Amino acid sequence: MDRRKFLTLSALTVGGIAAVSACGSGSGGGGGESAGGELRVAQFGSAHRMGLFEQVFEAYTAKNPDWSLTLDAASNDAYLDKLATQVSGGNAPAVMGLFHSAVAQFARQNALVELDEYLGNGLDTSKFTEGLVDLGRVDGTVQGLSFGDNAHGSMYDVDLLESLGMQLPEPGYTWEEFLTFSADITRAVGGDFYGTEDRSSQLDQIFKVWLLQRGKYAFTETGDLGFDKSDLTDWLELWQMLRDEGAAPPADITAEAGGTFDSSALIRGYAANHQTYANALASMQALTESRLQLTTIPVNPAGSGSGHFVRGSNWVGLYARAENIDAAVDFLDFAFNDLDGAGILGAELGAPPNREVRDSLEYTEAEQNFIDYINLISDELGDTAIPLAQEFPPSWSDINTEFSTAVEDFRFGRTSVSESVDRFFERAESAIQAAR
Amino acid sequence: MTGPAQAGREVSRRRSRSAPGARSENRWGYLFLTPWFIGIVFLTAGPMLVSLYYSFTDFALLSEPNWIGTDNYVRMFTEDHRFWGSLGVTLRYVLIAVPLQLIFALVVAVALNRGLRGLSVYRAMYYLPSLLAGSVAIAVLWRQVFGREGIVNVVLRFVGVVDPPSWIAEPDYALYTLILLRVWEFGSPMVIFLAGLRQIPAELYEASAIDGAGKIPQFFRITLPLLTPVIFLNIILQLIGAFQAFNSAYIISDGTGGPLDSTLFYTLYLYLEAFTNFRMGYASALAWVLVVIIGVFTALNFLASKYWVHYDDGDR
Amino acid sequence: MTAITTARRPLRGRRIVLHVVIGLGALAMVYPIMWMFAASLKEDSAIFSQIGLLPPVFDFANYAEGWNGLGEPFSTFFLNSFVIAGLAVIGNLVSCSLAAYSFARLQFRARAFWFAIMLGTLMLPYHVTLIPQYTLFFELGWVNTYLPLVVPKMLATDAFFIFLFVQFIRGIPRELDDAAKIDGAGPGRIYLQIVLPLLRPALVTGAIFTFLWTYNDFLSQLIYISERRLYTIPLALRAFLDSSGHSAWGPMFAMSTLALAPLIVIFILFQRQIVDGIATSGLKG
């Protein structure tokens, strides 16, 4: 390498830096005056969802030409990494999409705007599902809103059921019936196929529904555990029985399912159902050619209620240190209530919280099935939900992990029921104490 | 070695002992390091020291950190079973995967270095897996290989194994699929070995062939000794890298370190503490403990290197 | 006569065995990629349900969908990734070889200390310096540009390559340096005219790795890039997936396959540099 080449290289480098710093708009901040400016919106999800948001932005800008909206998107798994970094650096977008498990965390760290003064005053929630807005209360004030109503549900491969001469279970079927027909399905299909999957290790999924049927919530208002050893013991033994009867798959088949839809037992061809949040229906449907339909999680006829409740999904909060809060509020109102905004989003983020909007939109077959199901829960079967702050106390993350460990250890046969239960309560206690 | 070489060495030795020569080499030394110094001072040292500070605080990412002294460290060593668990997983991973991968890389590099028809194609194919490292598609692909219905089990069933388990879903086996993944991506150390093999002068082989030496003695008497600096390089770099392995475990276990924490690498645990539990202060403490551990391993290797690494330049 | 023929037969047999073993090994290397390519030719609903490797029809629809699937044509993302990776390569090669030459060849005060510091920077996991670095770059106004991704490479922050070059420089005999010194050359000339040329295999290796790792680097690109038109390939690929909603697996696999192509080409082109480079270290002259 001679001197000339070296110098050319250096010149290229300097030129490169110059070119590169010309790209990009530098650090984005707010506009400042309410007369107009830029509003940044952070959202998680796939390109499809981002496309919808871009359309909503265009619709909003058409009505409010002084404002330009930009999307700060990231895929789900890395979304919080980026958002938390931005909040920490003081540079977060004004409108922040949040996972339901993150809202309380952000609120407790004073990262969110208190929205109470805007409710009914710039942000119309009068047509929302009753009680939904209160779910976003943390420490007394509303700090998060939900883009879509959601509920726990179970989706079945109805093509398979019909080929076996069976039908989709009617909403409200019991645990007894669940055990019987799941075992029937397993026997009828044979091989490595099971009537139900096993999602018993997730604190926020069917466990909550089952627990509520016993009249208990996972956490109390003070952040303590809302259930005791006998509950967890019963839960572990229930699913052991389901596995013993052949209704549910063994531990290793279940363990192969990650958190993604493509890895679920249903899609992989091991189970007839998928028990999760109802808004997963459309995405699951896209991955298989069989028809999927929603019904409830099994119900306890002697219990106190159905255990199902309307909850939020795809929450959103406003960044406490952002500059254009009024504009952000106005945008949210547009996205929730204006048909030009909410109509674009449709059922993508959940059932539109504004009931009038919800009833006036058109849906695909899968989406309609979902909307009908949500209406069923909120109008007929639903119990009262608890606010996010209670559902996700400060110690939630640790307890969630310990719960999975307890159930999985037992599932794999590494511990006995009592060992698992004792260890869980021991560790949960210390996590709660540590979080105080 | 006599003549100009030795004279040159004497001259340079005299140069470095005499005052003006030493000072000038000093100056040159720092001059060449200038970009690195600027980088250290402005871009690296600051964040590193801040993270050290965080390790003594309760920094929760979204709000201001508060000093809590050594609480994080105390908790780590006395109360945190996942710390010890992840340390065990990582140590097992490092101590098995690194030697395995390096031996593989060396063998393949040596094999590919001799004339073989279709060589460049093979070389590219063996490097191909490394191109996928960190790709989001890896998780799905790995399940297609090691899952219950993966190709490995298809082959196993074909040869008569009755009920092969899902290798990625069993706590006893999952870590080994990750070790295999690392070994599969041996392309990088292999390429480094290839470059090192190229540095060995062909004359040495020619001279020894004239003396009647065969391929095997040549390997042990010429190739290996002259390759030791590069072998040492790969050991150190792979060691440091393996201790900090993150991507494969994160993607394949869906960010959980499961099943049953069997793939909970240390940096994965650190990441979960930082960004899922919002305990960045604690995560920083975990990070600095890792620095010490890696530092100790590296230092031991450097000390040991005196006994087996052969440098041609007369230094250490 | 007989001696020669009997000697030839086992040799050919061994050759065949060698070819078979290496060939099988190569297939094992390549299988997951073949699976990915096959998946890119299937519809989403068939990718995970169909067991066979081969798709029933070779359908390239995923490629068209993936190319335009993110609002911007994928060529934008290719260009962006190339620019960043290219600049990173230049930065690393220049700054790291300078530093490596200093560590390997020049005597200066506290050299061992700084060497240890240099290695030490490799040992701290990125996740804990992420936030302070972000704050730093935010204060500089570099967020949402490529500067945080490229400038550090110009300042030898990738200690991996410093160490790599150090070890290779130490493999270059000192006699060459000394001969040049007798001719009156200073460290600068030695670096340029003796060390760098002989470092070529290591430099090419460094170029390949820097390009590859920058091209595939997800997290730092995610943190610092927010505008769609600045997106790089890793960000674009992730954007196809949504673990709580609709994932576009087919297009993602299609674009992943496409994204591999430049890497393979670059590797094939450059590996000849490593191998066909200097076969001798030029002890003569």
Side-chain angles (χ1 to χ4, degrees):
Chain A
M1 168 110 60
D2 65 0
R3 209 171 299 164
R4 211 180 305 144
K5 275 197 206 157
F6 185 81
L7 288 175
T8 321
L9 220 50
S10 312
L12 266 176
T13 310
V14 173
I17 295 188
V20 133
S21 46
C23 298
S25 44
S27 61
E33 267 87 65
S34 46
E38 197 198 354
L39 201 59
R40 285 157 62 216
V41 177
Q43 263 297 325
F44 50 89
S46 70
H48 171 69
R49 181 178 295 192
M50 297 309 122
L52 292 179
F53 267 93
E54 303 266 4
Q55 289 175 41
V56 174
F57 291 171
E58 275 170 36
Y60 184 76
T61 310
K63 294 195 174 172
N64 300 279
D66 288 332
W67 289 94
S68 78
L69 284 80
T70 51
L71 185 63
D72 198 343
S75 52
N76 281 58
D77 49 354
Y79 181 75
L80 272 189
D81 299 356
K82 182 170 191 185
L83 192 64
T85 305
Q86 288 175 319
V87 170
S88 195
N91 185 32
V95 179
M96 308 189 291
L98 293 169
F99 306 127
H100 60 185
S101 51
V103 177
Q105 176 78 31
F106 273 68
R108 288 187 190 110
Q109 306 283 350
N110 302 315
L112 300 178
V113 171
E114 292 173 8
L115 296 171
D116 292 74
E117 58 183 284
Y118 297 99
L119 297 178
N121 178 22
L123 188 52
D124 177 21
T125 61
S126 56
K127 306 204 182 69
F128 282 24
T129 305
E130 177 122 20
L132 194 69
V133 174
D134 291 317
L135 294 186
R137 280 192 194 282
V138 182
D139 292 335
T141 54
V142 174
Q143 300 192 41
L145 292 170
S146 155
F147 264 113
D149 290 7
N150 200 3
H152 293 279
S154 183
M155 55 196 81
Y156 274 89
D157 180 351
V158 284
D159 285 343
L160 171 75
L161 291 182
E162 282 170 12
S163 75
L164 297 176
M166 300 171 79
Q167 276 179 321
L168 181 72
E170 288 286 321
Y173 63 100
T174 68
W175 286 95
E176 278 296 316
E177 292 166 344
F178 175 63
L179 169 62
T180 322
F181 74 68
S182 298
D184 287 343
I185 295 176
T186 307
R187 262 191 299 273
V189 177
D192 239 347
F193 192 85
Y194 299 86
T196 175
E197 64 165 8
D198 180 353
R199 278 198 100 188
S200 56
S201 64
Q202 254 95 55
L203 184 65
D204 286 324
Q205 297 290 341
I206 48 177
F207 176 70
K208 271 193 178 160
V209 177
W210 177 85
L211 196 62
L212 192 53
Q213 290 165 7
R214 294 182 154 208
K216 298 180 183 177
Y217 291 107
F219 297 99
T220 66
E221 277 170 17
T222 49
D224 290 307
L225 283 178
F227 59 101
D228 56 34
K229 292 193 181 181
S230 68
D231 295 310
L232 186 56
T233 306
D234 289 343
W235 179 246
L236 289 176
E237 288 176 349
L238 167 66
W239 281 92
Q240 185 59 44
M241 180 174 63
L242 282 165
R243 286 190 292 272
D244 289 339
E245 296 290 320
D252 62 340
I253 290 186
T254 304
E256 227 178 73
T260 57
F261 295 132
D262 63 288
S263 65
S264 66
L266 176 67
I267 298 297
R268 277 186 301 133
Y270 288 116
N273 69 356
H274 187 48
Q275 296 166 320
T276 180
Y277 299 120
N279 66 352
L281 183 65
S283 318
M284 289 286 286
Q285 184 64 80
L287 289 174
T288 173
E289 278 149 359
S290 307
R291 245 182 330 142
L292 300 177
Q293 279 182 0
L294 276 169
T295 180
T296 55
I297 309 284
V299 161
N300 181 353
S304 51
S306 68
H308 293 67
F309 50 93
V310 175
R311 56 183 309 144
S313 70
N314 293 298
W315 292 80
V316 64
L318 300 183
Y319 181 44
R321 290 201 264 168
E323 293 179 1
N324 302 313
I325 302 296
D326 289 329
V329 170
D330 191 53
F331 170 71
L332 284 184
D333 187 62
F334 177 77
F336 283 124
N337 298 313
D338 193 325
L339 266 179
D340 291 330
I344 297 175
L345 293 175
E348 167 71 25
L349 300 174
N354 179 325
R355 298 303 294 266
E356 263 182 33
V357 170
R358 187 190 300 183
D359 295 334
S360 62
L361 293 179
E362 301 220 335
Y363 303 104
T364 68
E365 192 184 323
E367 285 173 345
Q368 187 65 56
N369 186 235
F370 163 66
I371 297 286
D372 293 338
Y373 179 75
I374 296 295
N375 286 342
L376 176 70
I377 299 295
S378 68
D379 299 340
E380 292 175 37
L381 288 182
D383 293 344
T384 324
I386 46 174
L388 284 182
Q390 184 180 345
E391 211 183 341
F392 298 99
S395 57
W396 171 80
S397 186
D398 290 319
I399 295 186
N400 189 36
T401 310
E402 290 301 337
F403 187 84
S404 298
T405 308
V407 176
E408 283 171 6
D409 272 348
F410 173 67
R411 212 190 258 159
F412 272 104
R414 302 286 165 116
T415 54
S416 69
V417 176
S418 49
E419 279 171 359
S420 251
V421 171
D422 288 338
R423 201 177 55 185
F424 169 76
F425 278 91
E426 200 185 298
R427 294 205 179 133
E429 255 319 297
S430 49
I432 293 176
Q433 291 308 322
R436 287 248 155 85
Chain B
M1 273 168 289
T2 56
Q6 191 179 37
R9 223 184 268 126
E10 283 176 358
V11 169
S12 53
R13 225 181 286 137
R14 245 181 278 135
R15 272 236 187 95
S16 55
R17 242 186 272 142
S18 73
R23 234 188 290 138
S24 126
E25 193 157 302
N26 227 20
R27 226 179 297 142
W28 277 102
Y30 282 118
L31 181 69
F32 271 78
L33 275 186
T34 309
W36 180 73
F37 272 129
I38 298 180
I40 285 281
V41 166
F42 287 103
L43 295 181
T44 315
M48 282 181 81
L49 291 173
V50 170
S51 83
L52 182 61
Y53 161 69
Y54 283 157
S55 74
F56 294 102
T57 70
D58 65 356
F59 187 38
L61 269 193
L62 305 173
S63 52
E64 292 305 303
N66 304 306
W67 184 268
I68 55 171
T70 56
D71 282 3
N72 284 330
Y73 292 96
V74 169
R75 171 172 162 224
M76 194 190 311
F77 288 105
T78 59
E79 287 174 21
D80 191 356
H81 69 282
R82 283 186 108 196
F83 163 70
W84 294 108
S86 65
L87 202 53
V89 169
T90 307
L91 272 174
R92 221 180 325 152
Y93 177 78
V94 169
L95 293 175
I96 301 179
V98 173
L100 216 58
Q101 183 203 43
L102 289 183
I103 292 174
F104 219 67
L106 183 57
V107 164
V108 176
V110 168
L112 294 186
N113 195 38
R114 38 184 76 234
L116 201 70
R117 206 120 36 103
L119 187 55
S120 350
V121 174
Y122 281 135
R123 230 188 336 249
M125 283 175 93
Y126 274 91
Y127 193 65
L128 216 50
S130 305
L131 297 180
L132 275 182
S135 159
V136 68
I138 275 284
V140 179
L141 300 180
W142 217 239
R143 209 185 317 134
Q144 296 303 319
V145 175
F146 286 106
R148 212 149 208 271
E149 305 299 327
I151 190 83
V152 165
N153 281 356
V154 166
V155 171
L156 284 178
R157 285 197 197 104
F158 185 69
V159 290
V161 176
V162 163
D163 192 18
S166 163
W167 304 97
I168 54 176
E170 285 281 349
D172 290 329
Y173 302 127
L175 180 62
Y176 293 98
T177 63
L178 287 180
I179 291 177
L180 266 172
L181 179 60
R182 188 180 192 89
V183 174
W184 182 68
E185 288 172 350
F186 66 89
S188 299
M190 175 193 83
V191 168
I192 295 181
F193 277 136
L194 275 175
L197 286 170
R198 269 296 127 183
Q199 246 196 348
I200 301 175
E203 291 99 38
L204 293 178
Y205 291 111
E206 289 162 17
S208 82
I210 290 175
D211 283 349
K215 291 268 168 73
I216 307 242
Q218 271 183 350
F219 179 76
F220 283 101
R221 273 193 239 133
I222 303 178
T223 314
L224 262 193
L226 290 182
L227 204 56
T228 47
V230 173
I231 298 179
F232 180 62
L233 169 76
N234 264 336
I235 291 179
I236 295 289
L237 290 178
Q238 288 303 320
L239 206 63
I240 297 181
F243 265 111
Q244 295 178 65
F246 173 82
N247 262 316
S248 52
Y250 177 78
I251 293 176
I252 286 178
S253 74
D254 239 346
T256 59
L260 294 190
D261 277 3
S262 61
T263 62
L264 187 69
F265 285 175
Y266 193 90
T267 28
L268 178 57
Y269 179 48
L270 190 161
Y271 167 83
L272 290 176
E273 282 294 295
F275 287 99
T276 310
N277 293 339
F278 289 89
R279 281 195 286 256
M280 182 55 94
Y282 188 64
S284 304
L286 286 172
W288 279 95
V289 167
L290 185 66
V291 172
V292 170
I293 295 176
I294 299 181
V296 166
F297 268 81
T298 308
L300 286 176
N301 265 294
F302 265 93
L303 286 176
S305 75
K306 290 201 182 94
Y307 297 102
W308 62 278
V309 180
H310 167 101
Y311 290 108
D312 208 15
D313 58 4
D315 267 2
R316 249 191 307 136
Chain C
M1 215 36 141
T2 1
I4 299 177
T5 34
T6 35
R8 218 185 279 147
R9 235 181 284 131
L11 207 59
R12 201 187 299 156
R14 212 187 300 169
R15 269 276 144 132
I16 295 183
V17 170
L18 190 64
H19 263 280
V20 165
V21 168
I22 292 194
L24 277 180
L27 270 181
M29 297 293 122
V30 165
Y31 176 76
I33 297 165
M34 293 196 306
W35 188 91
M36 184 168 81
F37 177 60
S40 74
L41 300 173
K42 299 181 190 172
E43 266 185 17
D44 273 12
S45 50
I47 292 179
F48 297 104
S49 43
Q50 235 176 55
I51 307 209
L53 186 63
L54 287 176
V57 188
F58 271 51
D59 182 10
F60 284 91
N62 282 330
Y63 284 85
E65 219 185 289
W67 189 265
N68 292 308
L70 296 181
E72 299 259 349
F74 226 80
S75 48
T76 312
F77 310 132
F78 270 102
L79 188 65
N80 293 339
S81 279
F82 272 50
V83 165
I84 297 178
L87 287 174
V89 167
I90 298 175
N92 258 348
L93 290 190
V94 172
S95 61
C96 290
S97 65
L98 285 173
Y101 177 68
S102 179
F103 279 122
R105 280 298 205 247
L106 302 176
Q107 295 286 0
F108 55 95
R109 216 161 10 128
R111 184 177 75 166
F113 169 72
W114 291 117
F115 186 79
I117 297 279
M118 183 271 291
L119 273 188
T121 62
L122 273 180
M123 302 180 193
L124 189 65
Y126 180 53
H127 289 114
V128 295
T129 48
L130 188 59
I131 303 238
Q133 272 183 0
Y134 181 82
T135 314
L136 175 72
F137 288 125
F138 176 54
E139 297 297 329
L140 285 173
W142 289 5
V143 172
N144 205 35
T145 70
Y146 291 153
L147 289 171
L149 304 172
V150 170
V151 173
K153 309 289 184 196
M154 312 276 169
L155 298 178
T157 53
D158 252 337
F160 180 97
F161 296 101
I162 303 183
F163 189 37
L164 175 77
F165 296 153
V166 162
Q167 292 302 92
F168 274 86
I169 294 178
R170 297 187 71 177
I172 300 174
R174 282 231 180 220
E175 286 87 23
L176 298 174
D177 287 38
D178 299 338
K181 278 193 197 149
I182 291 177
D183 284 347
R189 276 239 330 253
I190 299 181
Y191 166 75
L192 281 176
Q193 294 178 345
I194 299 194
V195 172
L196 274 191
L198 293 177
L199 202 53
R200 178 123 69 104
L203 286 175
V204 174
T205 306
I208 294 179
F209 288 174
T210 304
F211 191 90
L212 174 64
W213 294 344
T214 313
Y215 191 85
N216 280 337
D217 179 19
F218 174 69
L219 190 57
S220 43
Q221 290 170 8
L222 174 76
I223 299 286
Y224 293 111
I225 298 176
S226 292
E227 266 183 71
R228 182 77 60 83
R229 68 182 175 96
L230 293 182
Y231 263 29
T232 56
I233 291 180
L235 298 185
L237 288 180
R238 284 286 170 116
F240 282 114
L241 303 179
D242 179 3
S243 58
S244 71
H246 185 84
S247 296
W249 287 100
M252 192 277 284
F253 283 129
M255 292 301 106
S256 292
T257 310
L258 224 51
L260 268 187
L263 293 181
I264 299 178
V265 167
I266 288 185
F267 179 71
I268 292 184
L269 283 181
F270 277 79
Q271 56 153 0
R272 310 191 74 241
Q273 290 286 319
I274 300 179
V275 175
D276 302 342
I278 310 88
T280 73
S281 17
L283 263 176
K284 17 189 160 133

